[in-house]
Amino acid sequence: MLKRKIYDDLMQWKSRKDKQCLVVKGARQVGKTFIIELFAKENYKHWITINFVQNPACKAIFDGDLDTETIIKQISLRIPGAKMVPGETLLFLDEIQDCPGARTALKFLTQDGRFDIIASGSLLGINYKDVTSYPVGYVEHLEMYSLDFEEFLWANSVSPESIADIKECFDQRKTVPAAMHERMTELFKEYIVVGGMPRAVDEFVTTHNFAGVLKIQRGIIADYEDDIAKYAKDSEKAKARACFLSIPKNLSKDYKKFQYSIVERGGTARKFGGSLMWLYDAGVINFCNNLSIPELPFEGNAKSDCFKVYMCDTGLLMAMLEEGSQEDVIDGNLGIYKGAIYENIIADIFGKSGKKLYYFEHNSKLEIDFFIRRNKTATAVEVKSADNTKSKSLNAVIEKFNVKRGVRLSTKNVGGTDDFESFPLYMAMFL
């Protein structure tokens, strides 16, 4: 069983006396249903799961009056054996994006307060227009992602104590022992290839068969395309699919700003901008906005019309490439795509830690892969995938734009200069 950090968040939510209904959002197949049902079984005397995709007839529970007493009666009628005991029952409304009435009912279930309520589903940001009264102020939100790198390490039997030892090297700027550094670098490459989708990770830790992992990943990609066909508005279906399939090509360029012309010859933001936002709301992609100047606050200096697009799970990006790309990452032979993939994995790690993504590009000659707020300072982050770790852009931005600190992430061990720190790529999780 894969250990997930969100379980602790669920426990904290349960312990609060003033809690509201909880909405767990996340892309398809990141493990939402599994972890919530495990949490229910381990922490409640009674629990009821209503999955609106598997049991569409249950939508009728929320077709009429939405007061709690009516909902309880409807649940008892349609789910034999269901027990709604105040203070002892969790009601889990899964795939709630398919039942707008249930979304509206969360307000009244929160006001009633006798039962703990968790709602979950994919594409929750998509269909606000279908909800007659969205329960603003009556729900809490949790975002769930595929496994982050630390969770991947747990799955591969790396102990918390070993991770703490590596963190100590990060904190104290000490060289990581050679054997540990080599093993962590190997695991990091495997994480790039496998990604964090639970089924893919479980396949890998059980069999170490990359072919089996790839088959699962491509099945998930096909499911994403099915979701586009199912949930996107008719006018958006083809455009959203075209944007989705263009991501590897956009990232392969030296200049990685997203270009609509790669989606379609002559493509424009007016035609495809809404489709990209659809993919973002679905939890499939992350935006990384260019900064007009590399200063805090980043959001105030971000250009809304100039951005890069990264996949939220790098393993799925790998699965969109041709056969053999997995072995190329492990062997370090990916050519033009190597830089893009290593940037994507750092964007993946930062995104899963809750960071918004920013980069800085100046006159097409100077580009810093990421900017993060670190120790209350605008910090430049340069990602190096090749053996050559010279940092011309990092040195230039420190010299010319009054950037106080920089971080270089590469395959090399802990090091650095007076101007910037140097860490192994796998330490990105500590930034």
Side-chain angles (χ1 to χ4, degrees), residues 235-236 239-240 243 271-280 285:
S235 61
E236 293 292 333
K239 292 187 289 184
C243 286
K271 181 173 182 179
F272 290 103
S275 301
L276 268 185
M277 185 57 67
W278 192 96
L279 293 170
Y280 173 78
I285 63 171

Side-chain angles (χ1 to χ4, degrees), residues 251-403:
L251 285 175
S252 70
K253 305 184 281 65
D254 285 337
Y255 183 50
K256 296 181 179 61
K257 173 192 172 184
F258 189 87
Q259 295 177 316
Y260 294 102
S261 60
I262 290 178
V263 181
E264 177 185 89
R265 190 171 184 177
T268 63
R270 183 174 182 178
K271 181 173 182 179
F272 290 103
S275 301
L276 268 185
M277 185 57 67
W278 192 96
L279 293 170
Y280 173 78
D281 286 340
V284 175
I285 63 171
N286 248 327
F287 291 112
C288 183
N289 288 91
N290 190 16
L291 296 169
S292 56
I293 51 174
E295 296 178 1
L296 297 173
F298 293 139
E299 194 60 26
N301 294 315
K303 302 178 184 178
S304 61
D305 61 345
C306 185
F307 53 84
K308 297 185 280 188
V309 170
Y310 294 109
M311 287 285 289
C312 285
D313 186 274
T314 307
L316 295 184
L317 173 64
M318 291 295 305
M320 296 173 76
L321 305 181
E322 68 274 9
E323 297 282 349
S325 298
Q326 295 171 310
E327 290 83 358
D328 288 339
V329 163
I330 300 299
D331 297 337
N333 301 320
L334 255 176
I336 192 171
Y337 269 110
K338 189 174 182 181
I341 288 167
Y342 275 75
E343 278 187 39
N344 200 103
I345 193 65
I346 301 304
D348 187 350
I349 289 171
F350 285 169
K352 286 172 180 173
S353 70
K355 288 182 171 62
K356 285 190 175 182
L357 303 178
Y358 304 96
Y359 75 104
F360 179 64
E361 184 272 333
H362 181 67
N363 291 338
S364 302
K365 295 180 180 179
L366 186 157
E367 182 173 339
I368 298 297
D369 300 315
F370 300 100
F371 261 88
I372 61 172
R373 178 189 290 266
R374 184 162 179 257
N375 298 329
K376 301 180 180 181
T377 302
T379 302
V381 178
E382 191 171 46
V383 180
K384 291 288 188 179
S385 59
D387 292 335
N388 179 7
T389 55
K390 291 182 179 179
S391 301
K392 292 182 180 178
S393 291
L394 196 56
N395 288 323
V397 80
I398 289 172
E399 179 182 342
K400 296 180 181 179
F401 292 91
N402 198 32
V403 173

